[in-house]
Amino acid sequence: MDSVRCFPKHEVLARLAVEDVICHIPSVEEGNYGRKLAVQTDQGTINVSIASKKLLTFRQSLSCAGCGAQGAYFLLLRNPLAKNRCSLELFTDEGELMTRDHILPKSLGGGNEMGNSQTMCLVCNSEKGSKIL
Ligand SMILES: [Zn+2]
């Protein structure tokens, strides 16, 4: 499979439907930060972390807080430059990367807690920068 725009060095191991990932992400209340998802790939089963704060944010909302773009699918990516670490990344149908935004930017004292997190596409997040919407 091809690599993707934001991750030129990464290898795409699998493409997953949103609903096949979201249902496995624990809620904030569960807070099971060790949980992993077993993904079948051409290279065998990959156990990838499913409880990052980024994925918990996507569980709360799949749409960009700025423009409303919808997360449509996940790619399981492997980074050969970082000990082959694998991660799940969310994209829109147009191939735009979805990110976790800090509502109150960290540079302005915003915390890392989930209450300060929202889903945002990379375009809106880049435009927002260190501002508050
Ligand atoms: Zn957006």
Side-chain angles (χ1 to χ4, degrees), residues 64-69 96 98 119-125:
C64 172
C67 69
E96 195 57 63
M98 301 297 276
T119 301
M120 202 171 253
C121 77
L122 184 60
V123 176
C124 290
N125 203 343

Side-chain angles (χ1 to χ4, degrees), residues 63-97:
S63 56
C64 172
C67 69
Q70 285 282 328
Y73 62 91
F74 282 93
L75 292 180
L76 176 63
L77 300 177
R78 172 154 64 193
N79 185 355
L81 303 182
K83 298 180 177 171
N84 281 329
R85 259 190 69 172
C86 292
S87 63
L88 286 166
E89 302 293 344
L90 178 64
F91 295 87
T92 67
D93 272 331
E94 290 73 36
E96 195 57 63
L97 178 69

